[in-house]
Amino acid sequence: MSDRVFPSSKPAVNGGTAHNAATTTPTPATTTPVPNPPPASTKSHLYNPTSRPPYRPQPRRRRTRSGRKLCCCCCFWSLLILLFLILMAAIAGAALYILYRPHRPDFSIPSFRLHRLNLTTSADSSSSHVASLFNFTVISKNPNSHLNLFYDPFTISSFSSDGDVFLGNGTLPAHNLSKKNQTSFRNVIVSGSNDLDADSVNALRSDLKKKNGAVTLKIQLDTKVKVKMGGLKTKKVGIRVTCDGIKGTLPKGKSPTVAVTSGSKCKVDLRIKIWKWTF
């Protein structure tokens, strides 16, 4: 019985050719697998003194209740002090009012004369002109029993009452009034010679065309006054005196006409100036 020869199924190793050996197939040997070596570490274990630690954001600190409590206490005490100051000012004002009983000064115009009030218009109606001359008496009174009044010079302005058209101006000297005293100024002159616009001409013309030639005038006095209460003096305060309801007739010729002032009333208002505005 002849032996069979089986070809080797292993390929050639390292480019070599297979051998047709007639030898028998060798018994494979048992081999132990060799474990793979561990990968080399890429991290350096050496200490670098110049290296910085990684940045870690710090958590935000929350406001403590003590800060809120302090803010609330400051607001409370500030509001309390402000209310206390307002209360003290109100008490002081009430005490001064009860003690001194202040009253507004009193003004009146007992007599008023119209010497001239002419409105002229050019032939082509391009311009209009008004000329005025008034003469009147002013009485200034101090109705207070504990206050002295010190007036600056007065600036006087005259207007037509209905149309509020400016007619002329004048002045009144400064004067002082002691307690419960009065003074009068006679022959106070107010005059003017002004050009008027179209609206002022129409308003004044309608006033002059009333029945019986009657015209209603208004006198305005502006000044500043200082008040003395015992040893206390206040700062100067602006006042405006408005005397309305003066009714007169237009003069004819050179003789003046006497206006009716029995129905006129003079009102005194404070003029308080804050920066650019006057109240």
Side-chain angles (χ1 to χ4, degrees):
M1 186 173 180
S2 60
D3 297 328
R4 294 182 178 182
V5 179
F6 295 92
S8 175
S9 61
K10 257 184 179 181
V13 180
N14 296 330
T17 59
H19 299 279
N20 289 328
T23 60
T24 60
T25 303
T27 304
T30 303
T31 61
T32 304
V34 179
N36 295 329
S41 176
T42 59
K43 294 183 180 181
S44 177
H45 296 284
L46 297 177
Y47 174 72
N48 187 2
T50 60
S51 63
R52 295 182 179 180
Y55 171 75
R56 295 180 182 180
Q58 298 294 331
R60 293 184 177 180
R61 295 182 179 180
R62 297 182 178 180
R63 294 183 178 179
T64 59
R65 291 186 177 181
S66 60
R68 294 181 181 179
K69 194 172 182 181
L70 180 61
C71 182
C72 292
C73 288
C74 291
C75 293
F76 172 76
W77 284 108
S78 300
L79 182 60
L80 189 63
I81 292 173
L82 179 62
L83 292 176
F84 177 75
L85 293 177
I86 293 175
L87 179 62
M88 294 301 294
I91 293 174
L96 288 175
Y97 179 79
I98 294 173
L99 181 62
Y100 293 105
R101 293 285 182 176
H103 298 281
R104 294 188 180 186
D106 188 14
F107 291 84
S108 62
I109 298 178
S111 65
F112 194 99
R113 296 191 179 194
L114 286 78
H115 291 266
R116 183 172 61 249
L117 183 58
N118 299 328
L119 176 63
T120 58
T121 305
S122 61
D124 57 354
S125 300
S126 61
S127 62
S128 298
H129 188 82
V130 61
S132 62
L133 178 60
F134 307 135
N135 180 4
F136 58 92
T137 300
V138 180
I139 297 178
S140 175
K141 296 180 181 179
N142 180 9
N144 296 281
S145 303
H146 303 87
L147 305 180
N148 296 324
L149 304 179
F150 301 87
Y151 291 104
D152 282 357
F154 288 73
T155 300
I156 305 175
S157 305
S158 62
F159 301 88
S160 65
S161 184
D162 295 336
D164 204 20
V165 179
F166 177 75
L167 301 177
N169 54 12
T171 58
L172 198 67
H175 61 279
N176 303 333
L177 284 179
S178 58
K179 308 166 187 177
K180 289 289 184 177
N181 200 356
Q182 72 175 29
T183 184
S184 62
F185 298 91
R186 302 181 183 275
N187 299 322
V188 179
I189 302 297
V190 173
S191 61
S193 180
N194 312 307
D195 293 329
L196 302 179
D197 55 12
D199 294 336
S200 299
V201 170
N202 295 331
L204 183 59
R205 188 170 291 165
S206 63
D207 290 344
L208 298 178
K209 287 184 178 180
K210 291 181 179 179
K211 294 181 180 180
N212 301 325
V215 61
T216 305
L217 302 175
K218 178 174 66 176
I219 300 297
Q220 186 173 284
L221 301 92
D222 292 295
T223 188
K224 290 185 178 181
V225 61
K226 181 169 63 176
V227 181
K228 181 180 179 182
M229 301 176 290
L232 178 64
K233 288 185 179 181
T234 64
K235 292 185 178 181
K236 293 180 180 180
V237 180
I239 63 171
R240 169 170 290 180
V241 183
T242 305
C243 300
D244 203 350
I246 303 171
K247 297 180 180 180
T249 57
L250 295 179
K252 295 179 181 180
K254 295 182 179 180
S255 60
T257 58
V258 179
V260 179
T261 60
S262 57
S264 64
K265 294 182 180 179
C266 295
K267 182 177 65 172
V268 180
D269 297 318
L270 292 177
R271 302 283 291 174
I272 300 174
K273 187 175 182 179
I274 301 176
W275 196 28
K276 296 181 180 180
W277 297 276
T278 303
F279 302 94

